Amino acid sequence: MRRGFAITGILGILDQAAMMNLIDLPDTVQNLRNTSFWASDALFQKLLDRHL
């Protein structure tokens, strides 16, 4: 935490949005995979598994 702000990456933001039912996580992850964004398959799967 720096200056009162927590540091969160893109996957953390998507995780929070999915918890708030703001996004369809599987569709959003697939869309993200179709871009130049890179994360390991295991990391994407761990995120998806949290919301089963």
Side-chain angles (χ1 to χ4, degrees), residues 13-49:
I13 292 168
L14 294 179
D15 184 35
Q16 290 176 10
M19 285 191 289
M20 298 170 70
N21 293 316
L22 297 174
I23 62 169
D24 180 289
L25 188 61
D27 286 345
T28 303
V29 165
Q30 187 57 50
N31 289 337
L32 189 58
R33 283 181 162 175
N34 291 333
T35 70
S36 61
F37 180 85
W38 187 89
S40 69
D41 290 337
L43 188 54
F44 278 123
Q45 192 58 54
K46 185 176 180 179
L47 176 62
L48 291 167
D49 289 347

